[in-house]
Amino acid sequence: MKSFSRRRFIGDTSMAAIAGTFIFAASNQSTKEMKNVFVHHVYFWLKEKDSAADLSQLVAGLKKLSAVTTIKQFHIGKAASTSREVIDGSYSVSWLVLFDNKADQDSYQTDPIHLKFVEECASLWKKVVVYDSVDM
Amino acid sequence: MKSFSRRRFIGDTSMAAIAGTFIFAASNQSTKEMKNVFVHHVYFWLKEKDSAADLSQLVAGLKKLSAVTTIKQFHIGKAASTSREVIDGSYSVSWLVLFDNKADQDSYQTDPIHLKFVEECASLWKKVVVYDSVDM
């Protein structure tokens, strides 16, 4: 009985190891896809597009804004050097924020840190475009 | 001497533990920010914006396109239900792709999988807008 149990244990362990390999392979593939995410992407056009001071102030404001706790990940960017007819590279700053869901994004909109950011920085930009996306 | 060494070891270990706590806290904060990333965000407007079949075909095409090996992460999205003056929610599909760098994005543009995607799906959309962003 002891021997049978041990064999069964070894068998189960091997099966688990094989199953584990498949699960690992599958997750390696699937982790490339972001799921269950609310993508909030904002593009800012500065009033004074050549002002390094205004750019710094906006970036500093966004860094403070990133403290909002519902933000899972963020990226502060500038236009890349790519250039094709379909590319809009005219903006000054890209602000990409990932939330877990719409409720977290809604709460960010009214977070005191966000309201303070708008109060302190809104005079810097002449145009903002926002794209909010959720899983298909 | 032995006793001194042991005390010093214990002291060093405690210092390392304290330092580790700070490092952990700091990295927890900083991992929210995506760095060293090339953000490629594409918005598609379908010609037939109410065609479920065309939407499915485009999404299926993007899923195949995600096999390009230089893609680190991607998200296929639709417009969220948010609505404010600055929000553009008129697009049909959002295709967000993260690359490690511009070279990887350049290589994606000429990858046979990408060329095949364009060949198979370009007839579906009437407008595409692309924003490419890199670290500030």
Side-chain angles (χ1 to χ4, degrees), chain A residues 82-126:
Chain A
T82 49
S83 171
R84 297 193 312 280
E85 202 181 274
V86 290
I87 296 176
D88 185 344
S90 65
Y91 62 94
S92 311
V93 177
S94 151
W95 168 240
L96 170 63
V97 186
L98 305 182
F99 296 97
D100 276 347
N101 50 53
K102 182 173 179 293
D104 281 358
Q105 195 278 155
D106 289 348
S107 127
Y108 155 88
Q109 288 296 335
T110 56
D111 191 292
I113 300 172
H114 188 251
L115 301 178
K116 193 168 170 60
F117 163 77
V118 173
E119 184 190 317
E120 288 180 352
C121 294
S123 65
L124 299 171
W125 62 73
K126 64 176 178 186

Side-chain angles (χ1 to χ4, degrees), chain A residues 21-90:
Chain A
T21 305
F22 280 114
I23 290 164
F24 181 72
S27 81
N28 254 5
Q29 196 55 26
S30 66
T31 48
K32 278 177 69 171
E33 180 162 17
M34 292 184 261
K35 294 290 262 182
N36 301 311
V37 63
F38 185 106
V39 180
H40 175 66
H41 208 156
V42 185
Y43 302 94
F44 297 96
W45 281 259
L46 288 173
K47 273 181 198 157
E48 303 296 333
K49 73 183 180 72
D50 298 321
S51 166
D54 286 9
L55 179 65
S56 285
Q57 198 184 327
L58 178 54
V59 170
L62 291 170
K63 283 188 189 286
K64 280 198 273 179
L65 179 56
S66 72
V68 174
T69 55
T70 56
I71 292 177
K72 282 295 168 291
Q73 282 193 281
F74 69 93
H75 181 255
I76 302 172
K78 62 182 176 183
S81 59
T82 49
S83 171
R84 297 193 312 280
E85 202 181 274
V86 290
I87 296 176
D88 185 344
S90 65

Side-chain angles (χ1 to χ4, degrees), chain B residues 68-111:
Chain B
V68 174
T69 55
T70 57
I71 292 176
K72 284 294 167 293
Q73 282 192 281
F74 69 93
H75 181 255
I76 301 172
K78 61 181 177 184
S81 59
T82 50
S83 171
R84 296 194 313 281
E85 203 181 274
V86 290
I87 296 175
D88 186 345
S90 65
Y91 62 94
S92 311
V93 177
S94 151
W95 168 239
L96 170 63
V97 187
L98 305 181
F99 297 98
D100 276 345
N101 51 53
K102 181 173 180 291
D104 281 0
Q105 195 277 156
D106 290 348
S107 128
Y108 155 86
Q109 288 297 335
T110 55
D111 192 292

Side-chain angles (χ1 to χ4, degrees), chain B residues 51-66:
Chain B
S51 165
D54 286 8
L55 179 65
S56 285
Q57 197 185 327
L58 179 53
V59 171
L62 291 170
K63 282 188 189 287
K64 279 197 272 179
L65 179 56
S66 73

